[in-house]
Each structure stands twice: as C-alpha cells, then as structure tokens.
Amino acid sequence: MQTKCAKARRRVTLLFALVLGVLLALLLGGCQGAQEKQNSSETGGYEVKDVQGQVLKLPRKPQRIVTLALSSDEMALAMLPAQRLAALHYLADDPGISTEAAKAQAVTARVRDYNVEQLLSLQPDLVLAPDWNRQELIQTLRDAGLPVVVTKGPSSVAEVKEALQQIALAAGEPQAGQKLIEQMELEMADIAAKVQNIPQAQKKTVVLISHMASYGGKGSLFDNMCRDAGVINGAAAVGLGKNDALTKEAIVAANPDVILVPTWTKGKLDVDQVRQELLNDPALQSVKAIREKKLVQVSDAYLYCAAQDITKGIRGIAAAAYPERFE
C-alpha cells in the first residue's frame, strides 16, 4: 500500500514539474518575443509596400530623403524636419509656386532634371517617386541600389490623401501624415458647406489661363479642383482633355463667368500682359468674364498644388466664383 502511495506521489510530482516547465517556457518565450519586439521598435526597422506592389525594407527611419516632384517635397516638408531631406526641387523655395517655400530654405541642395548621376551623388537613404515619373528612371535607381518607394501622383484630393499616407509611412511618421489628412478634411468640409447646395443651373463657369499650354481639361488636377469648388470647368465643358490646349475658340464656347489669370511671375506667361491681352482681344469681347472684367487671381502655388494645400486652391477657386459665400 505504501509503495502504491509513493508511486502515486511521484507521478503527481512529475506531472506538476512538467506543467511548471511548460508554463515557464511559455513565459520565457513571451518575454523573449516582447524583448525582440522592443528591440525592433528601438532600431526602427519596418517594411513599406508602394503603389507598384514593391516591398522595401528600411532598417530605420530615413534621414536623407529625396523626392522626385515638387508636390512630394511639399508633403515631406510639411510633416518632417527639413534636416531629413537631402535635396529639393529647384523651385521648392520659390513662394510664387511652392507652398512650403519658407521651410525649404533650410535645405541647401537642389535637383532639376532628376538624372541618375545627381541622385546617386546625394546618397539618399530613401527616394520617393510619384507614379507619374518615368518607369525607366525608377528602375534604374532601384538597379543602382537606391531604396525607392513609388507613391501616388495625385490629381485629386483623395489621391493627395493617399500620397500623404504613403509618404508618411515610408518616412516612419504615420501620425504626421494623418494629422495633415485630418486638417485637409476639416478644410474640405468647410468648403463643401458653402458650395454644396448650389443648383446646377446656377453654378459658375471658370476657365484657367495656365503657364502650361496644354493643361486644365477633363481629368486634370484643375478639373477635379473645380468639381470640389462647386464650379464648372469651362475647358472640360467644351470637350477639352487634360492635355489639350486652351484656344480662344474654346474660351468663347465656354463663355466663362470667371477667368483665372496667373500670379507666378517666373512662369512662361507675363502676368500683366495676359490680363491686357484678354481684355483687349476683339475675339473675346462676347465672353461674359471679359465684359464684366471678372479676371481673378488665385495664387498659382495653390492652383497647381498636388499636396496638402490643394484645399487652399479649391477654396480660392470657389471664392473667385462665389465671393459672397466666402466673405
């Protein structure tokens, strides 16, 4: 009897030891996993999937970022310290066309043609390339060993938000990107509240005189901004595509209520000359905006903005068409 009891006690002891060992192993494994997670967080290693489906592994938050567009520079400057950017577009510090000109002055290097040799010389630890960049350039940079993340090249508010999110994730600063998106949403909600109840028959028609000869038609950034501003894009209304040139005949056919004229003095157009030529052109005297001298300036830095300040461009267009609603 005693032998049986002793054997039973030993089995219980062994079972208890086995259970205790399993519990300790689980506990130690959990601690080790937590430690590994902490170590990963401390080093900042993470992965980013871009719009082309490419996954890039970054060992830490990049400190020498180069973007391949002025709009991407504007996004990066708005959410990151200037010291984390290795170079900017050559127009980034021109307040006439850049919305982040003041902050851009803290970055000394400039890029104009985006050639491979210059980009390699900058030794970036992250290249942000909008998907409107040439694919051969993107592939060449990748083949050269540069870490490239392809982001959305925006042509609408929704796509600006998408690009902001992608750039913020690539830079390791998702909260900074989300903050900009939330600010945009507040601004867009305010604009919508002012223009959303305008009947279609009462919407104003707007035409943009652009520094780019072929720009502003259906599907362009400006076209989408007009939609959000509650106005009719005259160029799109008469059948022009986003890469079609605006002619005098198209302006007459559109018969806009408002013509937006340039503000940027370093572009292809002479600002004062454009205004005088429009007002004095015999072929345009039947156009409502010419008769009523509704030639309005909205900062080109905002009208051509494919970054977070696109909202200011949309507000400017809406205010030009419906000034009474924005007083």
Side-chain angles (χ1 to χ4, degrees), residues 135-181:
Q135 181 57 40
E136 57 267 31
L137 171 62
I138 293 171
Q139 190 57 50
T140 300
L141 294 175
R142 282 178 171 150
D143 292 343
L146 292 185
V148 179
V149 170
V150 179
T151 66
K152 187 64 184 175
S155 61
S156 67
V157 168
E159 290 180 352
V160 168
K161 292 180 186 177
E162 182 182 346
L164 280 169
Q165 210 166 35
Q166 291 166 340
I167 289 173
L169 287 172
E173 305 291 348
Q175 292 181 343
Q178 185 58 36
K179 183 178 179 180
L180 289 177
I181 290 171

Side-chain angles (χ1 to χ4, degrees), residues 216-252:
K218 185 176 178 59
S220 66
L221 176 69
F222 179 73
D223 186 42
N224 288 319
M225 292 170 75
C226 285
R227 179 198 63 216
D228 291 331
V231 305
I232 297 168
N233 175 16
V238 298
L240 296 183
K242 63 181 179 181
N243 296 317
D244 293 334
L246 179 71
T247 62
K248 291 182 184 180
E249 292 77 12
I251 296 175
V252 172

Side-chain angles (χ1 to χ4, degrees), residues 5-20:
C5 289
K7 289 181 178 179
R9 284 196 296 271
R10 283 197 296 273
R11 284 198 294 269
V12 171
T13 301
L14 288 171
L15 181 61
F16 178 76
L18 179 62
V19 171
L20 182 61

Side-chain angles (χ1 to χ4, degrees), residues 76-89:
L77 284 167
M79 69 177 77
L80 301 172
Q83 291 75 14
R84 290 183 62 185
L85 296 170
L88 298 172
H89 187 274

